[in-house]
Each structure stands twice: as C-alpha cells, then as structure tokens.
Amino acid sequence: MSGRVACVPGFTETAVQNALVTAAESSGRFLALVAPPYGLTTAQEAVLWHDGNLLRTGDRTTALNSSYAACYWPWLQVFNPFTAADEWLDPVIFAARTLANTDAIADPWIAPAGMQRGRLTKPNNVEVTLQQGDRDHLYGNGAAVNPI
C-alpha cells in the first residue's frame, strides 16, 4: 500500500464514511481514515460509535469493520493563527500526517506509534485525556479505535 491514505476530515456522517471505506475496499489501493464526531466524552462512547451502537441522532448505525479502514479518536485542539483562537480538528488529519512521516523515515509496514514515529507536536490539547485503561478498551475485545 505504501503511503496511500484517504480521509475527509470533519465529515463524520455514516454515509460519507461508508462511501470512503467502500471505495477503499473496492479498489484495494488505499486506507480510509475515519473518526467519530467531536463531542464524545468517554472511551466507551467511542467504542459504541465504532460498533454502531451509540444511540444519538446522526451517529453511525453500522459497525466499522474493514481491513481497509482505520479509526482514530479523540479530536485534537490547535491554535489557528488566522483566527487567533483554538479550534478542534479531526484526528484523521494528524493520523494521515503521522502515516506519511513514518513512510518517509521508515518502511510502510512500521507502525506510526511511540514517542518518535507517533509523536504529535502541533496539538495543545485533546478532547478527552485517555488513561491506559481507556486505551486498552479502545483497542481491545474486538474494538479497533486507535487512541491518540
């Protein structure tokens, strides 16, 4: 696959994300990066969203289950110098950047994780501060939400 990813930051609607994942699966040529909507408050909510079981209007209604998709959460806050204010950004922006950086400094099969390849330098805050138990829950027991 070597560095081929696609994402639509800020679009968390099921139809948009499913179309992206379907395109990735059909072509077999890229990885679709998706994220839950801004405003989730716990790791459990992120897992429920991923599984299609978070019962809020507009949320995912089917499980995200594809080897051609990767889910990232929580959202990240950065300072926007043009508006002179902090704003929340979709985590897929940072995931794509980190994947590209890892491909540039290592091999495509190397995980973009850890304190060197996975380190994010621009965000100044996260939507939810995750503890080790939260991270284990996000990526354990069949869930597949990549914690940031």
Side-chain angles (χ1 to χ4, degrees), residues 3 5-7 33 72 91-102:
V5 298
C7 58
L33 305 180
Y72 292 87
V92 300
I93 297 167
F94 298 92
R97 177 178 160 216
T98 302
L99 286 164
N101 182 56
T102 297

PDB file of all heavy atoms in Angstrom, residues 3 5-7 33 72 91-102:
ATOM      1  N   GLY A   3       1.864   4.154   1.776  1.00  0.00           N
ATOM      2  CA  GLY A   3       1.520   5.542   1.931  1.00  0.00           C
ATOM      3  C   GLY A   3       0.228   6.021   1.318  1.00  0.00           C
ATOM      4  O   GLY A   3      -0.008   7.213   1.280  1.00  0.00           O
ATOM      5  N   VAL A   5      -3.372   6.834   1.561  1.00  0.00           N
ATOM      6  CA  VAL A   5      -4.479   7.001   2.502  1.00  0.00           C
ATOM      7  C   VAL A   5      -5.451   8.026   1.935  1.00  0.00           C
ATOM      8  O   VAL A   5      -5.090   8.841   1.083  1.00  0.00           O
ATOM      9  CB  VAL A   5      -4.004   7.446   3.907  1.00  0.00           C
ATOM     10  CG1 VAL A   5      -3.088   6.412   4.533  1.00  0.00           C
ATOM     11  CG2 VAL A   5      -3.339   8.803   3.877  1.00  0.00           C
ATOM     12  N   ALA A   6      -6.674   7.969   2.429  1.00  0.00           N
ATOM     13  CA  ALA A   6      -7.682   8.966   2.061  1.00  0.00           C
ATOM     14  C   ALA A   6      -8.493   9.285   3.306  1.00  0.00           C
ATOM     15  O   ALA A   6      -8.750   8.410   4.126  1.00  0.00           O
ATOM     16  CB  ALA A   6      -8.589   8.446   0.952  1.00  0.00           C
ATOM     17  N   CYS A   7      -8.873  10.530   3.429  1.00  0.00           N
ATOM     18  CA  CYS A   7      -9.709  10.936   4.551  1.00  0.00           C
ATOM     19  C   CYS A   7     -10.531  12.151   4.144  1.00  0.00           C
ATOM     20  O   CYS A   7     -10.198  12.846   3.182  1.00  0.00           O
ATOM     21  CB  CYS A   7      -8.874  11.240   5.792  1.00  0.00           C
ATOM     22  SG  CYS A   7      -7.622  12.523   5.601  1.00  0.00           S
ATOM     23  N   LEU A  33      -9.227   6.653   6.381  1.00  0.00           N
ATOM     24  CA  LEU A  33      -9.093   7.114   7.764  1.00  0.00           C
ATOM     25  C   LEU A  33     -10.383   7.795   8.172  1.00  0.00           C
ATOM     26  O   LEU A  33     -10.849   8.715   7.485  1.00  0.00           O
ATOM     27  CB  LEU A  33      -7.924   8.087   7.889  1.00  0.00           C
ATOM     28  CG  LEU A  33      -6.563   7.596   7.393  1.00  0.00           C
ATOM     29  CD1 LEU A  33      -5.514   8.676   7.591  1.00  0.00           C
ATOM     30  CD2 LEU A  33      -6.162   6.303   8.066  1.00  0.00           C
ATOM     31  N   TYR A  72      -9.623   6.759  14.311  1.00  0.00           N
ATOM     32  CA  TYR A  72      -8.798   7.476  15.283  1.00  0.00           C
ATOM     33  C   TYR A  72      -9.668   8.361  16.164  1.00  0.00           C
ATOM     34  O   TYR A  72     -10.643   8.952  15.693  1.00  0.00           O
ATOM     35  CB  TYR A  72      -7.740   8.337  14.565  1.00  0.00           C
ATOM     36  CG  TYR A  72      -6.709   7.506  13.870  1.00  0.00           C
ATOM     37  CD1 TYR A  72      -6.913   7.054  12.575  1.00  0.00           C
ATOM     38  CD2 TYR A  72      -5.539   7.133  14.518  1.00  0.00           C
ATOM     39  CE1 TYR A  72      -5.978   6.256  11.934  1.00  0.00           C
ATOM     40  CE2 TYR A  72      -4.590   6.344  13.883  1.00  0.00           C
ATOM     41  CZ  TYR A  72      -4.822   5.908  12.599  1.00  0.00           C
ATOM     42  OH  TYR A  72      -3.904   5.119  11.974  1.00  0.00           O
ATOM     43  N   PRO A  91      -9.080  14.016  14.211  1.00  0.00           N
ATOM     44  CA  PRO A  91      -7.811  13.302  14.400  1.00  0.00           C
ATOM     45  C   PRO A  91      -7.262  12.659  13.136  1.00  0.00           C
ATOM     46  O   PRO A  91      -6.067  12.354  13.076  1.00  0.00           O
ATOM     47  CB  PRO A  91      -8.145  12.250  15.459  1.00  0.00           C
ATOM     48  CG  PRO A  91      -9.616  12.088  15.412  1.00  0.00           C
ATOM     49  CD  PRO A  91     -10.166  13.418  14.994  1.00  0.00           C
ATOM     50  N   VAL A  92      -8.083  12.457  12.106  1.00  0.00           N
ATOM     51  CA  VAL A  92      -7.563  11.840  10.880  1.00  0.00           C
ATOM     52  C   VAL A  92      -6.530  12.737  10.200  1.00  0.00           C
ATOM     53  O   VAL A  92      -5.661  12.242   9.487  1.00  0.00           O
ATOM     54  CB  VAL A  92      -8.682  11.428   9.890  1.00  0.00           C
ATOM     55  CG1 VAL A  92      -9.627  10.419  10.527  1.00  0.00           C
ATOM     56  CG2 VAL A  92      -9.419  12.607   9.335  1.00  0.00           C
ATOM     57  N   ILE A  93      -6.604  14.034  10.438  1.00  0.00           N
ATOM     58  CA  ILE A  93      -5.601  14.952   9.892  1.00  0.00           C
ATOM     59  C   ILE A  93      -4.222  14.572  10.428  1.00  0.00           C
ATOM     60  O   ILE A  93      -3.244  14.468   9.686  1.00  0.00           O
ATOM     61  CB  ILE A  93      -5.936  16.413  10.264  1.00  0.00           C
ATOM     62  CG1 ILE A  93      -7.257  16.838   9.642  1.00  0.00           C
ATOM     63  CG2 ILE A  93      -4.799  17.351   9.893  1.00  0.00           C
ATOM     64  CD1 ILE A  93      -7.815  18.130  10.211  1.00  0.00           C
ATOM     65  N   PHE A  94      -4.156  14.345  11.721  1.00  0.00           N
ATOM     66  CA  PHE A  94      -2.893  14.012  12.368  1.00  0.00           C
ATOM     67  C   PHE A  94      -2.472  12.583  12.045  1.00  0.00           C
ATOM     68  O   PHE A  94      -1.287  12.296  11.914  1.00  0.00           O
ATOM     69  CB  PHE A  94      -3.004  14.246  13.870  1.00  0.00           C
ATOM     70  CG  PHE A  94      -3.285  15.676  14.197  1.00  0.00           C
ATOM     71  CD1 PHE A  94      -4.590  16.127  14.336  1.00  0.00           C
ATOM     72  CD2 PHE A  94      -2.253  16.587  14.317  1.00  0.00           C
ATOM     73  CE1 PHE A  94      -4.860  17.456  14.605  1.00  0.00           C
ATOM     74  CE2 PHE A  94      -2.507  17.921  14.588  1.00  0.00           C
ATOM     75  CZ  PHE A  94      -3.812  18.359  14.731  1.00  0.00           C
ATOM     76  N   ALA A  95      -3.432  11.688  11.905  1.00  0.00           N
ATOM     77  CA  ALA A  95      -3.125  10.304  11.534  1.00  0.00           C
ATOM     78  C   ALA A  95      -2.490  10.259  10.151  1.00  0.00           C
ATOM     79  O   ALA A  95      -1.469   9.585   9.945  1.00  0.00           O
ATOM     80  CB  ALA A  95      -4.385   9.449  11.580  1.00  0.00           C
ATOM     81  N   ALA A  96      -3.061  10.981   9.194  1.00  0.00           N
ATOM     82  CA  ALA A  96      -2.517  11.000   7.833  1.00  0.00           C
ATOM     83  C   ALA A  96      -1.098  11.574   7.839  1.00  0.00           C
ATOM     84  O   ALA A  96      -0.193  11.038   7.180  1.00  0.00           O
ATOM     85  CB  ALA A  96      -3.421  11.811   6.905  1.00  0.00           C
ATOM     86  N   ARG A  97      -0.908  12.635   8.568  1.00  0.00           N
ATOM     87  CA  ARG A  97       0.419  13.261   8.651  1.00  0.00           C
ATOM     88  C   ARG A  97       1.440  12.310   9.271  1.00  0.00           C
ATOM     89  O   ARG A  97       2.568  12.187   8.784  1.00  0.00           O
ATOM     90  CB  ARG A  97       0.310  14.537   9.486  1.00  0.00           C
ATOM     91  CG  ARG A  97       1.610  15.230   9.705  1.00  0.00           C
ATOM     92  CD  ARG A  97       1.397  16.503  10.505  1.00  0.00           C
ATOM     93  NE  ARG A  97       2.648  16.888  11.109  1.00  0.00           N
ATOM     94  CZ  ARG A  97       2.771  17.440  12.286  1.00  0.00           C
ATOM     95  NH1 ARG A  97       1.705  17.686  13.005  1.00  0.00           N
ATOM     96  NH2 ARG A  97       3.933  17.768  12.758  1.00  0.00           N
ATOM     97  N   THR A  98       1.047  11.617  10.330  1.00  0.00           N
ATOM     98  CA  THR A  98       1.951  10.706  11.007  1.00  0.00           C
ATOM     99  C   THR A  98       2.254   9.488  10.138  1.00  0.00           C
ATOM    100  O   THR A  98       3.395   9.012  10.093  1.00  0.00           O
ATOM    101  CB  THR A  98       1.353  10.282  12.362  1.00  0.00           C
ATOM    102  OG1 THR A  98       1.110  11.464  13.131  1.00  0.00           O
ATOM    103  CG2 THR A  98       2.301   9.392  13.134  1.00  0.00           C
ATOM    104  N   LEU A  99       1.245   8.977   9.427  1.00  0.00           N
ATOM    105  CA  LEU A  99       1.481   7.861   8.497  1.00  0.00           C
ATOM    106  C   LEU A  99       2.470   8.268   7.402  1.00  0.00           C
ATOM    107  O   LEU A  99       3.387   7.512   7.068  1.00  0.00           O
ATOM    108  CB  LEU A  99       0.160   7.409   7.879  1.00  0.00           C
ATOM    109  CG  LEU A  99      -0.765   6.608   8.789  1.00  0.00           C
ATOM    110  CD1 LEU A  99      -2.177   6.566   8.209  1.00  0.00           C
ATOM    111  CD2 LEU A  99      -0.233   5.213   9.002  1.00  0.00           C
ATOM    112  N   ALA A 100       2.293   9.459   6.847  1.00  0.00           N
ATOM    113  CA  ALA A 100       3.194   9.941   5.799  1.00  0.00           C
ATOM    114  C   ALA A 100       4.613  10.113   6.336  1.00  0.00           C
ATOM    115  O   ALA A 100       5.587   9.747   5.662  1.00  0.00           O
ATOM    116  CB  ALA A 100       2.683  11.250   5.220  1.00  0.00           C
ATOM    117  N   ASN A 101       4.738  10.657   7.529  1.00  0.00           N
ATOM    118  CA  ASN A 101       6.056  10.841   8.130  1.00  0.00           C
ATOM    119  C   ASN A 101       6.735   9.493   8.368  1.00  0.00           C
ATOM    120  O   ASN A 101       7.924   9.342   8.098  1.00  0.00           O
ATOM    121  CB  ASN A 101       5.945  11.620   9.441  1.00  0.00           C
ATOM    122  CG  ASN A 101       7.296  11.877  10.056  1.00  0.00           C
ATOM    123  OD1 ASN A 101       8.188  12.456   9.434  1.00  0.00           O
ATOM    124  ND2 ASN A 101       7.476  11.414  11.276  1.00  0.00           N
ATOM    125  N   THR A 102       5.983   8.520   8.860  1.00  0.00           N
ATOM    126  CA  THR A 102       6.552   7.193   9.106  1.00  0.00           C
ATOM    127  C   THR A 102       7.029   6.563   7.801  1.00  0.00           C
ATOM    128  O   THR A 102       8.098   5.966   7.745  1.00  0.00           O
ATOM    129  CB  THR A 102       5.531   6.279   9.803  1.00  0.00           C
ATOM    130  OG1 THR A 102       5.218   6.850  11.074  1.00  0.00           O
ATOM    131  CG2 THR A 102       6.083   4.883  10.022  1.00  0.00           C
TER     132      THR A 102
END
